[in-house]
């Protein structure tokens, strides 16, 4: 099978298109991959900067969509099903992937393979962040940073599905349009006085929940954006700088800073996955969830796809097309 293999920790330049033996199914679902999602963890993996550090060479890619070739007895999917899946064991940037049955889900009929490629990680992360960690309630105001990216657009839709008011914060007008398409009620520019504007939108109170996959200066300002008993959800550090906080600010203002690591949490509570999947499936059936697809690259241009992510040029979910489906 064709696969993109990371041979050196040189970022995207370390990838090479190679021929490898197909994985064995064993007790996993064997999937003929049509599309693969490109995620920020994939980029960090190519640089050796992710918490997971597999030995070289390896095939990156934790998100795929495709068609089931075979499934173990008792699995919720069967041969021929259109599915989307998440792999803790990497291997998604290839024509065939073997993924544990509990992380494989049927694709809603109206979604394309491109749309489904980035659903499992982004939407499960958004749901886990907002509901489990953020304790989101209907009627609350949610600020979503990086709102034109994969996690950002997913978070907008999951928050709307919970009955929240969603304020998106993005870096330019092109990304603002993506956030509006995803369903944001209001959109503010991070280059402008977004903090002041947010206070005006909320009658001076601020946001009940801020979801931050950016870090850096955005995190610092987001602390000031919280209403009393507000929750700042730390999802990632796309800006590069890992921020710090003086905890007396948390005490004096009765606010929370909350870590969000969906993948790591599943190790401790794997039963959370079907619960989230059921809720997301219901929202998809209601038309609340409509994945925003960004640029689509052929498999052999996987390095360029990661560069788009690294430069923060991409909007929506970056996808690799592995084969025609």
């Amino acid at each position: 099978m064709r696969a993109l293999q990371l041979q050196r920790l040189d970022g995207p330049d370390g990838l090479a298109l190679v021929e490898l033996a197909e994985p064995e199914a064993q007790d996993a679902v064997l999937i003929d991959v049509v599309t693969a999602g490109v995620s920020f963890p994939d980029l960090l993996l190519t640089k050796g900067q992710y918490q997971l550090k597999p030995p070289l060479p390896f095939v990156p890619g934790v998100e795929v969509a495709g068609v089931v070739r075979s499934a173990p007895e008792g699995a919720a999917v069967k041969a021929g099903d259109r599915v989307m899946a998440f792999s803790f064991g990497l291997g998604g940037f290839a024509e065939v992937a073997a993924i544990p049955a509990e992380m494989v889900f049927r694709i809603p009929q109206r979604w394309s393979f491109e749309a489904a490629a980035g659903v499992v990680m982004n939407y499960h992360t958004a749901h886990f962040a907002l509901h489990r960690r953020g304790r989101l309630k209907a009627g609350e105001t949610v600020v979503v940073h990086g709102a034109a990216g994969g996690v950002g657009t997913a978070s907008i839709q999951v928050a709307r599905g919970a009955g929240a008011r969603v304020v998106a914060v993005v870096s330019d007008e092109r990304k603002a349009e993506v956030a509006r398409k995803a369903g944001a009620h209001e959109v503010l520019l991070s280059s402008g006085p977004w903090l002041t504007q947010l206070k005006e939108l909320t009658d001076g109170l601020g946001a009940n929940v801020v979801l931050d996959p950016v870090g850096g200066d955005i995190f610092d300002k987001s602390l000031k954006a919280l209403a009393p008993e507000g929750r700042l959800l730390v999802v990632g550090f796309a800006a590069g700088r890992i921020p710090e906080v003086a905890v007396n600010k948390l005490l004096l203002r009765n606010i929370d800073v909350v870590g969000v690591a969906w993948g790591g949490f599943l190790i401790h509570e794997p039963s959370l996955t079907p619960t989230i999947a059921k809720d997301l499936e219901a929202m998809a059936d209601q038309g609340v969830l409509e994945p925003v697809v960004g640029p689509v690259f052929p498999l052999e241009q996987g390095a360029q796809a990661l560069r788009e992510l690294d430069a923060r040029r991409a909007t929506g979910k970056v996808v690799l097309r592995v084969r025609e489906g």
Side-chain angles (χ1 to χ4, degrees):
M1 67 175 186
R2 295 187 311 149
L4 274 180
Q5 186 182 67
L6 188 73
Q7 300 179 338
R8 309 180 313 278
L9 295 177
D10 291 339
D13 291 341
L15 287 169
L17 188 65
V18 299
E19 288 284 339
L20 298 176
E22 292 183 354
E24 296 182 2
Q26 298 180 344
D27 293 329
V29 177
L30 204 62
I31 300 172
D32 289 321
V33 178
V34 176
T35 56
V38 180
S39 66
F40 199 70
D42 294 320
L43 177 64
L44 295 178
L45 278 162
T46 67
K47 299 179 179 182
Q49 296 174 354
Y50 197 55
Q51 55 262 38
L52 176 68
K53 299 185 185 299
L56 292 171
F58 65 88
V59 176
V62 294
E63 303 173 279
V64 302
V67 178
V68 175
R69 182 188 294 184
S70 65
E73 185 177 351
V77 297
K78 64 183 185 305
D81 284 349
R82 299 168 71 249
V83 295
M84 50 193 178
F86 177 82
S87 170
F88 289 103
L90 307 177
F93 292 177
E95 290 182 317
V96 183
I99 297 181
E102 61 270 19
M103 297 307 296
V104 182
F105 311 92
R106 287 191 181 90
I107 299 173
Q109 189 61 40
R110 68 179 183 279
W111 288 359
S112 66
F113 285 113
E114 286 83 1
V119 165
V120 178
M121 185 167 72
N122 286 342
Y123 281 85
H124 279 245
T125 295
H127 192 287
F128 175 70
L130 292 167
H131 286 277
R132 180 68 179 242
R133 304 296 291 138
R135 309 183 303 278
L136 180 62
K137 305 180 187 71
E140 290 191 316
T141 297
V142 176
V143 167
V144 177
H145 290 293
V151 171
T153 54
S155 298
I156 289 170
Q157 294 176 3
V158 171
R160 282 198 63 139
R165 178 189 187 186
V166 185
V167 180
V169 180
V170 296
S171 59
D172 58 46
E173 286 294 345
R174 180 177 66 95
K175 293 181 178 180
E177 186 55 37
V178 174
R180 292 188 189 98
K181 179 181 177 183
H185 293 97
E186 288 95 11
V187 181
L188 307 176
L189 295 179
S190 59
S191 57
W194 69 267
L195 187 54
T196 300
Q197 293 169 331
L198 174 67
K199 291 296 181 70
E200 291 172 353
L201 289 171
T202 57
D203 297 324
L205 284 176
N208 304 105
V209 176
V210 177
L211 187 141
D212 177 21
V214 179
D217 294 342
I218 286 291
F219 174 93
D220 300 335
K221 291 181 179 179
S222 293
L223 283 174
K224 301 176 182 178
L226 290 174
E229 296 190 281
R231 291 84 75 195
L232 174 49
L233 308 180
V234 180
V235 181
F237 312 105
R241 179 173 70 85
I242 298 177
E244 298 179 354
V245 59
V247 295
N248 64 310
K249 294 180 180 179
L250 311 184
L251 183 152
L252 294 172
R253 297 187 52 228
N254 290 294
I255 57 176
D256 300 347
V257 174
V258 183
V260 177
W262 164 70
F265 190 80
L266 293 184
I267 297 172
H268 304 288
E269 194 170 328
S271 62
L272 184 64
T273 298
T275 302
I276 292 178
K278 184 177 180 180
D279 199 16
L280 292 176
E281 184 178 359
M283 284 192 280
D285 289 343
Q286 295 161 11
V288 176
L289 305 187
E290 290 294 343
V292 178
V293 180
V296 179
F297 295 85
L299 179 65
E300 55 269 24
Q301 293 181 20
Q304 183 56 36
L306 286 166
R307 292 186 193 103
E308 290 291 306
L309 209 61
D310 200 12
R312 299 180 66 184
R313 289 190 295 263
T315 58
K317 181 65 182 181
V318 181
V319 174
L320 296 183
R321 174 161 278 280
V322 179
R323 72 172 88 221
E324 294 303 315

